[in-house]
Amino acid sequence: MHQLEKPEIVALLANRVEVAELFGVADRIRQRYVGDEVHLRGLIEFSNICKQNCLYCGLRRDNQDIKRYRLEPEAVIELAAKAKSYGYKTVVLQSGEDVYYTVERLQTVIHGIKDLGLALTLSLGEKTREEYRAYREAGADRYLLRIETTDRQVYDQLHPGMSLANRLRCLRDLRDLGYEVGTGIMVGLPGQSLESLAEDILFFKAIDADMIGLGPFIPNPATPLRAAVGGTFELALKVMAITRLLLPDSNIPATTAMETLNKQGRTIALQSGANVVMPNVTEGEYRQLYMLYPGKICINDTPAHCRQCIGGKIAAINRTIAQHAGFRNGKNLGQ
Ligand code: SAM
Ligand code: SF4
Ligand code: FES
C-alpha cells in the first residue's frame, strides 16, 4: 500500500509527464488487491425531485427547466427485479432528496428488494441518524454519499443551506450503523485547487471509505454554474488512480461522468484503477429526466442494451463480470 503525503499527491496531480506510469501502477494495484472481476451495480434513478439546491446539479430545487418525476415503491421494486434478471447482484437506488419517500415508503422498497436476494446500496442524500438506522434495519447494505469536496469554503459556496459538518455527521452515522460506506467528489469544481483535491484523497483514506465514486464536474446550463469551466477527464482519472494507490482494496467505479467527457472513459478508468461499473436500469423517459448535467450517456438506451454494451466493453479488455455482490469485506449473500 502506498503511503503518500499531501505534497507528493499534489506533485502527482500536477505532473503531466508521467501520467501513463501512474495509471499503470494503479492498474497493477487494482489487479493485485481486488482482481480482474468487475462488479456491476444496476442503478435505479427513482425520483428527480429534490429539496436541496446544490449549485452544480440539474435536479436542484430552483431548476424550473426540468420535468419532475418519481416512481412509486412498487415500480422501483419491479425495476430491481428486472435488474436481477440482467444478472446484477446489487442495485443502487438513487434520487434527489425527495420528502415523499418517507421511512415507511422506503422500508417497503428495501424489503421488496432484499426479498429478491440482491445487495442494496442507497444514495438518497442527507438524512437523520434515525432514518439511516431504519433503512439499515430494513436491510440496506451500503450507502453512497459523496463529500463532494472537503474544502469548507468551496463546500459552503456550492451548498446553500447545507454544511460540511452535517455531511461528515452523516458519513460517521452510516459507518457506526454498519453500512459499507461510499463517498467521493467531483473534480474541477469552481474554487477547487490541487491542494484541496489532495486533502479529499487523504480524507477517503482517513475514513477508510469502502467505495469511492469520482467524476469530473460538468457544468449544467440550467444551473447557476452554467458558465463554469468544469473538470477534465484526465484530472478526474488521476484523482481516481491515486485513490487506488492509497485504498488498494476499495471499490472504485468507472463513472458515467467520465464516459460523458471521453467516449472510452469507463474502459480507460477500468484500466487505471477502477473495478466497478454502475449501468443504468432506469427505463423510458425517466432516464432523460434524471439530467444532472448535459451530455449524460445512455439516456436514449434501454437497460438491456446497456447490459450488453458494458458486457462487451469488459470482455474487450479481458476482464470478467463478478458473479457475487462484491462486498469489500468479502461478505457474500449466498448467491
Ligand atoms: N441527492 C443525492 C446526493 O446528493 O447525494 C444523490 C443524487 S446526486 C444527483 C448524485 C451525485 O451527482 C452527486 O453526489 C454529485 O457528485 C453528482 N452531480 C451532480 N451534479 C453534477 C454535475 N453537474 N457534474 C457532475 N456530477 C454531478
Ligand atoms: Fe439534490 Fe443531490 Fe442534486 Fe444536491 S446533488 S441538488 S442533493 S440531487
Ligand atoms: Fe449504456 Fe453503453 S452502457 S449504452
Side-chain angles (χ1 to χ4, degrees):
M1 189 192 315
H2 291 246
Q3 299 287 0
L4 297 172
E5 304 292 331
K6 185 174 169 187
E8 297 167 291
I9 298 176
V10 173
L12 281 173
L13 290 172
N15 189 334
R16 293 180 163 272
V17 184
E18 288 144 31
V19 281
E21 283 85 339
L22 170 63
F23 298 150
V25 173
D27 195 39
R28 286 197 291 282
I29 294 200
R30 183 273 309 154
Q31 186 177 42
R32 187 173 330 140
Y33 283 84
V34 293
D36 279 337
E37 287 185 333
V38 176
H39 300 285
L40 299 182
R41 325 282 199 206
L43 177 65
I44 301 175
E45 300 161 331
F46 68 93
S47 165
N48 71 354
I49 298 170
C50 189
K51 68 174 188 183
Q52 301 289 10
N53 224 1
C54 308
L55 259 56
Y56 42 81
C57 179
L59 309 191
R60 66 196 302 272
R61 180 179 76 222
D62 285 355
N63 183 10
Q64 313 280 328
D65 291 341
I66 183 175
K67 186 173 149 196
R68 302 285 174 170
Y69 75 91
R70 79 163 60 90
L71 300 181
E72 290 296 329
E74 299 68 33
V76 180
I77 298 166
E78 249 172 64
L79 277 186
K82 287 191 189 164
K84 183 177 178 176
S85 76
Y86 297 127
Y88 301 128
K89 309 297 179 194
T90 295
V91 293
V92 181
L93 295 188
Q94 196 182 79
S95 68
E97 292 195 17
D98 181 355
V99 295
Y100 175 79
Y101 264 94
T102 56
V103 163
E104 290 69 29
R105 289 194 174 101
L106 279 165
Q107 280 167 330
T108 305
V109 174
I110 295 167
H111 289 145
I113 293 177
K114 291 307 293 180
D115 286 348
L116 295 167
L118 293 166
L120 175 61
T121 305
L122 300 178
S123 178
L124 316 174
E126 296 183 6
K127 306 284 173 182
T128 64
R129 184 181 176 96
E130 289 320 307
E131 287 170 310
Y132 287 144
R133 185 196 303 281
Y135 312 152
R136 178 88 185 113
E137 284 173 358
D141 301 288
R142 310 183 177 104
Y143 204 101
L144 189 53
L145 183 73
R146 289 183 176 182
I147 193 75
E148 314 294 3
T149 172
T150 58
D151 185 318
R152 188 174 308 273
Q153 211 179 336
V154 176
Y155 190 94
D156 287 349
Q157 271 162 12
L158 297 176
H159 299 100
M162 298 166 81
S163 75
L164 189 58
N166 193 49
R167 202 80 170 172
L168 292 168
R169 188 275 305 161
C170 289
L171 288 168
R172 263 196 313 274
D173 283 347
L174 291 164
R175 176 64 81 202
D176 284 354
L177 291 163
Y179 284 92
E180 280 210 342
V181 177
T183 190
I185 57 164
M186 279 174 286
V187 176
L189 291 168
Q192 195 180 43
S193 61
L194 295 187
E195 283 73 18
S196 83
L197 287 171
E199 295 279 3
D200 295 341
I201 297 170
L202 290 168
F203 169 76
F204 305 150
K205 175 81 185 156
I207 68 163
D208 192 27
D210 299 307
M211 309 173 275
I212 303 108
L214 304 156
F217 157 58
I218 303 172
N220 183 331
T223 67
L225 298 184
R226 59 184 66 83
V229 178
T232 65
F233 173 69
E234 188 179 83
L235 188 58
L237 201 64
K238 279 183 177 180
V239 173
M240 194 200 75
I242 298 167
T243 299
R244 172 61 73 197
L245 304 191
L246 270 81
L247 291 118
D249 67 344
S250 59
N251 282 321
I252 301 183
T255 57
T256 302
M258 288 210 181
E259 191 131 324
T260 299
L261 291 195
N262 181 315
K263 275 199 160 65
Q264 300 299 322
R266 287 177 298 179
T267 302
I268 296 169
L270 285 172
Q271 295 175 301
S272 310
N275 69 323
V276 174
V277 180
M278 293 163 61
N280 201 327
V281 293
T282 316
E283 290 188 343
E285 69 161 342
Y286 302 132
R287 275 189 186 222
Q288 277 135 46
L289 297 178
Y290 201 83
M291 192 50 80
L292 313 180
Y293 47 77
K296 194 171 161 227
I297 57 163
C298 303
I299 56 168
N300 295 313
D301 296 295
T302 61
H305 178 76
C306 287
R307 173 63 187 82
Q308 194 188 15
C309 165
I310 204 67
K313 286 175 193 276
I314 291 166
I317 55 171
N318 293 321
R319 300 271 282 277
T320 54
I321 295 173
Q323 297 304 317
H324 56 96
F327 285 98
R328 187 186 184 203
N329 64 13
K331 185 176 77 168
N332 181 322
L333 293 181
Q335 297 143 15

